[in-house]
């Protein structure tokens, strides 16, 4: 009896000693509270394939997420794996040394990701990748197909076409565009969702190469054209119309178009399941001008550099970079996964993916949120003034160039 107890005790001891190596509990943080149920499904799939690794998914309010995450990481209580923002938002966390650099050696699937998506999750200073990109968003014009059909309208091929169809809707008693600009960030959405093709890819390339600034006529004339559309074809009192109210105007069928992101599609269908949606890249001046949507990357999945569970965390991030995960992500959340090879069951997403083939980056987010004042803050405030008739597009070009010169070196010459 005593011998058996000794054997049992020895066996239990061996199990207890081995347990930490076998069972690893990961914490995974996110700001996507609305996606919690979906992520718990994804995690179930991962855990079934990786016995011994468990993942606890925790979400936080989006507005305060960056502060909560940075505070936890600084205090040594951060998660093992986390969603991080892209571009300047990523650098704020990565530059402090909180994130584990990733490579094609640790996450082989990264070799097939687009360079644009990887750049969004890389540090400019060292060129290293710090997160697996998870989604892209696209800014364009969404329209109500039933309203277009009822008024004999087709997707515009030129800026004059856009003005003409807007006037036809207005004459028919339909609000052409539902957008309002009382919510600050909507000013930026409207500017680049409507004006990217007018600005053009050549302007974008010259700007990022340091051969142009925001006083360039290609940029300022686009701002003027956007302001003219707003003045003539946005709802009465649009300067005081907030974002939720504008969404409701469109989803209720009172307006024909909405300038917004691909993230709006699921929301509009939820608000009005019967609405039939179309989308197009706002055109340039002529039919020959490239029709460009504005694309940006939402964020990525990163590993805490100080996690005691690094092997398990890397294993989990490899799953988050897999085509299996990307397909489930796209099908479940109706989002454009950045993972190569993912197909889209939802025809609207397939259409977004097609539009993305002709695009430029969503300018201020991709390039001008790395310092203070940020390009986004400047363009949002200045466009609100332009819509109110309190400034000119040329003056905005000067304000942007001068303001960003505080930290953006190409503008300091």
């Amino acid at each position: 009896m005593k011998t058996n107890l000794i054997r049992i005790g020895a066996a239990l001891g061996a199990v207890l000693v081995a347990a930490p190596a076998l069972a690893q509990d990961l914490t995974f943080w996110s700001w996507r509270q609305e996606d919690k149920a979906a992520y718990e499904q994804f995690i179930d799939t991962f855990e079934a394939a990786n016995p011994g690794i468990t993942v606890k998914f925790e979400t936080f309010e989006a507005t305060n997420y960056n502060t909560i995450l940075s505070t936890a990481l600084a205090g040594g209580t951060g998660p093992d794996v986390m969603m991080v923002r892209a571009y300047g938002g990523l650098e704020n966390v990565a530059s402090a040394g909180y994130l584990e650099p990733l490579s094609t050696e640790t996450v082989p699937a990264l070799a097939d990701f687009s360079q644009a998506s990887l750049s969004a999750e890389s540090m400019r200073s060292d060129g290293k990748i710090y997160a697996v990109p998870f989604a892209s968003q696209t800014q364009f014009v969404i329209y109500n197909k039933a309203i277009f059909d009822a008024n004999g309208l087709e997707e515009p091929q030129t800026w004059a076409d856009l003005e003409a169809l807007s006037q036809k809707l207005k004459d028919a008693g339909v609000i052409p565009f539902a957008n309002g600009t009382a919510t600050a960030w909507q000013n930026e959405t409207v500017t680049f969702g409507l004006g990217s093709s007018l600005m053009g890819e050549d302007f974008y390339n010259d700007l990022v190469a340091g051969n142009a600034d925001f006083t360039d006529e290609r940029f300022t004339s686009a701002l003027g054209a956007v302001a003219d559309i707003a003045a003539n074809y946005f709802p009465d009192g649009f300067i005081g119309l907030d974002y939720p109210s504008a969404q409701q105007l469109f989803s209720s069928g009172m307006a024909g178009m909405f300038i917004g992101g691909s993230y709006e599609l699921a929301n509009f269908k939820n608000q009005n399941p019967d609405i039939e949606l179309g989308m197009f890249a706002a055109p340039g001046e002529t039919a020959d001008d490239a029709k460009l949507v504005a694309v940006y990357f939402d964020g990525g999945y990163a590993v805490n550099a100080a996690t005691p569970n690094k092997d398990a965390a890397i294993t989990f991030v490899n799953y988050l970079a897999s085509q299996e995960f990307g397909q489930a992500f796209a099908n479940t959340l109706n989002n454009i996964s950045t993972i190569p090879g993912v197909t889209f069951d939802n025809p609207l997403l397939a259409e977004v993916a097609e539009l993305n083939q002709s695009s430029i980056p969503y300018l201020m987010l991709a390039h001008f949120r790395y310092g203070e004042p940020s390009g986004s803050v400047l363009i949002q405030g200045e466009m609100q003034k332009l819509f109110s008739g309190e400034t000119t597009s040329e003056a905005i070009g000067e304000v942007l160039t001068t303001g960003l010169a505080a930290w953006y070196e190409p503008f300091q010459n």
Side-chain angles (χ1 to χ4, degrees), residues 231-310:
N232 292 314
Y233 302 118
F234 279 20
D236 291 342
F238 72 90
I239 291 170
L241 185 68
D242 66 14
Y243 176 52
S245 301
Q247 289 176 304
Q248 186 60 38
L249 265 185
F250 179 77
S251 64
S252 66
M254 295 178 67
M257 294 176 283
F258 189 93
I259 306 156
S262 46
Y263 47 81
E264 301 285 5
L265 298 172
N267 179 60
F268 286 144
K269 291 294 283 185
N270 287 336
Q271 289 186 5
N272 180 359
D274 295 327
I275 197 169
E276 191 175 355
L277 301 173
M279 68 202 78
F280 60 83
E285 188 174 346
T286 74
D288 292 332
D289 293 335
K291 295 173 181 61
L292 302 169
V293 294
V295 174
Y296 66 93
F297 296 92
D298 248 358
Y301 306 113
V303 173
N304 187 339
T307 175
N309 302 310
K310 193 161 293 182

Side-chain angles (χ1 to χ4, degrees), residues 295-348:
V295 174
Y296 66 93
F297 296 92
D298 248 358
Y301 306 113
V303 173
N304 187 339
T307 175
N309 302 310
K310 193 161 293 182
D311 287 347
I314 292 292
T315 298
F316 183 50
V317 165
N318 270 277
Y319 165 68
L320 297 174
S322 69
Q323 189 173 338
E324 175 192 10
F325 170 76
Q327 195 63 61
F329 176 92
N331 292 345
T332 307
L333 295 175
N334 284 318
N335 253 303
I336 300 289
S337 169
T338 55
I339 296 172
V342 170
T343 58
F344 301 101
D345 294 345
N346 183 328
L348 290 175

Side-chain angles (χ1 to χ4, degrees), residues 196-244:
S196 288
S197 298
L198 290 174
M199 296 170 196
E201 193 168 11
D202 287 345
F203 166 70
Y204 168 77
N205 289 334
D206 287 345
L207 181 72
V208 298
N211 298 324
D213 60 29
F214 287 110
T215 63
D216 193 292
E217 192 271 339
R218 292 170 291 183
F219 179 75
T220 58
S221 65
L223 300 189
V226 169
D228 286 344
I229 287 284
N232 292 314
Y233 302 118
F234 279 20
D236 291 342
F238 72 90
I239 291 170
L241 185 68
D242 66 14
Y243 176 52

Side-chain angles (χ1 to χ4, degrees), residues 15 156-157 165 189 336 372 403:
V15 169
Q157 301 304 306
L165 74 84
T189 300
I336 300 289
E372 296 295 338

Side-chain angles (χ1 to χ4, degrees), residues 41-284:
Q41 290 178 21
F42 304 149
I43 288 166
D44 286 345
T45 300
F46 169 77
E47 289 177 345
N50 294 273
I53 302 177
T54 60
V55 181
K56 182 181 180 184
F57 186 62
E58 298 181 48
T59 61
F60 301 86
E61 199 274 320
T63 305
N64 299 319
Y65 178 77
N66 291 3
T67 301
I68 293 168
L69 178 63
S70 296
T71 301
L73 290 169
T77 59
D80 300 290
V81 178
M82 69 211 83
M83 278 191 189
V84 291
R85 309 289 188 178
Y87 309 107
L90 171 87
E91 287 206 353
N92 291 337
V93 182
S95 61
Y98 297 139
L99 306 183
E100 179 74 10
L102 305 177
S103 69
T104 53
E105 291 183 5
T106 54
V107 186
L110 289 175
D112 297 322
F113 278 67
S114 72
Q115 187 54 52
S117 67
L118 295 177
S119 294
E121 299 301 336
S122 299
M123 281 270 287
R124 293 171 301 163
S125 59
D126 63 13
K128 293 180 180 178
I129 303 165
Y130 286 90
V132 173
F134 69 75
S136 68
Q137 302 292 351
T138 306
Q139 305 285 7
F140 44 35
V141 179
I142 303 165
Y143 66 94
N144 184 318
K145 283 190 172 182
I147 291 176
F148 266 47
D149 290 346
N151 289 276
L153 302 176
E154 296 181 351
E155 294 179 5
Q157 301 304 306
T158 67
W159 193 258
D161 288 347
L162 180 64
E163 292 175 315
L165 74 84
S166 298
Q167 186 63 48
K168 190 166 184 179
L169 287 172
K170 190 173 183 178
D171 291 344
V174 178
I175 300 168
F177 288 94
N179 297 81
T181 59
T183 303
W185 64 271
Q186 281 288 286
N187 290 275
E188 185 174 1
T189 300
V190 164
T191 300
F192 296 102
L194 203 54
S196 288
S197 298
L198 290 174
M199 296 170 196
E201 193 168 11
D202 287 345
F203 166 70
Y204 168 77
N205 289 334
D206 287 345
L207 181 72
V208 298
N211 298 324
D213 60 29
F214 287 110
T215 63
D216 193 292
E217 192 271 339
R218 292 170 291 183
F219 179 75
T220 58
S221 65
L223 300 189
V226 169
D228 286 344
I229 287 284
N232 292 314
Y233 302 118
F234 279 20
D236 291 342
F238 72 90
I239 291 170
L241 185 68
D242 66 14
Y243 176 52
S245 301
Q247 289 176 304
Q248 186 60 38
L249 265 185
F250 179 77
S251 64
S252 66
M254 295 178 67
M257 294 176 283
F258 189 93
I259 306 156
S262 46
Y263 47 81
E264 301 285 5
L265 298 172
N267 179 60
F268 286 144
K269 291 294 283 185
N270 287 336
Q271 289 186 5
N272 180 359
D274 295 327
I275 197 169
E276 191 175 355
L277 301 173
M279 68 202 78
F280 60 83

